[in-house]
Amino acid sequence: MVARQLDEQIAGRFPVGRRLRVLDVGMGQGTQALRLARAGHSVTGLESDAEMLASARAALASEPEGIRERVRLIEGDGRDTGVHFLPGSFDVVLCHGVLMYVEEPDPMLAGLARMLAPGGLLSLLVRNADALAMRPGLAGDFGAALAAFDTAAYTNRLGLTVRADRLDALRATLAGIAAPLHAWYGVRVFTDNVGNDVALPAEELERVLALENRAGRTDPYRGVAALLHLCGVRG
């Protein structure tokens, strides 16, 4: 879903065929970075975890030379983008699944916005603090659901206690760093309790994707999604 939404925003903002300069902060195993490189873009991946970076390098090594030469991988922290890059160096900056590990996200977001050229796109994927009660509530853990109303902390699938973000707070932050919110989507509206290893027949999978696509852009459903995908545009 995130890839579809990102492609939609890129297509609506940049000319068809333009090779974009993309920065993927906290790129993990490089899924989005490699996908965008295959689409013809020049991608820089920034990752602080050595194991993740090794996985990304291994994945990149298996790609054709034409794709490998479009990707640069750097070991580094998303809070230190100013150390590695000049302001305005990128057309698109991705920060997916990272903010929940950052105790004070606003300075990091300001740094990411500075990396964008005018008109550039900032793509954030965050845990939705306004919907933290949904997963335990639907799983029948009503005590945990009640407790979730009074906190922005949660335990993720890795067993780590991390933090979630609220749409209104991020909207205000993006406005304050000159990358105001342009569009937002919900991600995993109906499927947050479905395990990653669950396999579905192709026809059923298409129905699930169609359902999530519709819900992720429709009120009030997107407001209770497990994740929020926010797209800001640099003024």
Side-chain angles (χ1 to χ4, degrees):
M1 280 296 98
V2 175
R4 292 186 182 191
Q5 294 158 2
L6 180 61
D7 287 349
E8 178 181 286
Q9 291 301 313
I10 288 175
R13 178 144 300 276
F14 301 102
V16 175
R18 175 176 166 182
R19 177 175 290 187
L20 302 175
R21 301 164 299 164
V22 180
L23 173 62
D24 190 353
V25 173
M27 66 173 182
Q29 296 176 340
T31 302
Q32 290 293 340
L34 291 178
R35 188 184 70 83
L36 290 168
R38 294 183 196 114
H41 304 302
S42 175
V43 182
T44 299
L46 188 65
E47 177 56 57
S48 61
D49 186 280
E51 290 186 9
M52 287 290 188
L53 190 59
S55 295
R57 284 175 172 152
L60 179 62
S62 68
E63 295 287 335
E65 182 180 355
I67 293 174
R68 294 199 306 271
E69 66 185 12
R70 289 198 289 270
V71 179
R72 179 169 58 141
L73 303 181
I74 299 174
E75 185 170 2
D77 194 293
R79 290 167 288 194
D80 299 326
T81 49
V83 173
H84 300 284
F85 315 110
L86 294 174
S89 295
F90 299 96
D91 304 300
V92 179
V93 173
L94 313 182
C95 183
H96 294 173
V98 175
L99 287 191
M100 55 274 291
Y101 300 102
V102 180
E103 188 172 344
E104 296 291 339
D106 286 7
M108 177 175 167
L109 289 173
L112 298 185
R114 284 193 291 272
M115 295 301 104
L116 286 169
L121 180 69
L122 176 60
S123 175
L124 307 174
L125 185 67
V126 304
R127 187 75 187 185
N128 183 7
D130 291 321
L132 288 180
M134 293 298 292
R135 179 190 286 179
L138 292 175
D141 188 349
F142 303 125
L146 279 170
F149 282 98
D150 301 315
T151 181
Y154 71 101
T155 301
N156 67 14
R157 297 189 182 194
L158 299 176
L160 301 174
T161 299
V162 290
R163 46 170 296 281
D165 289 282
R166 301 189 188 278
L167 175 62
D168 287 346
L170 283 175
R171 189 194 303 272
T173 296
L174 290 173
I177 60 175
L181 186 64
H182 173 72
W184 68 277
Y185 308 85
V187 178
R188 296 209 317 240
V189 178
F190 297 109
T191 57
D192 192 40
N193 280 332
V194 178
N196 293 333
D197 57 349
V198 174
L200 295 174
E203 184 176 336
E204 185 69 8
L205 178 60
E206 280 305 311
R207 279 196 289 265
V208 170
L209 291 174
L211 174 65
E212 287 287 340
N213 179 61
R214 181 73 178 269
R217 62 184 68 233
T218 303
D219 291 322
Y221 302 102
R222 63 178 179 166
V224 295
L227 304 170
L228 298 177
H229 182 197
L230 292 82
C231 299
V233 174
R234 180 72 170 173

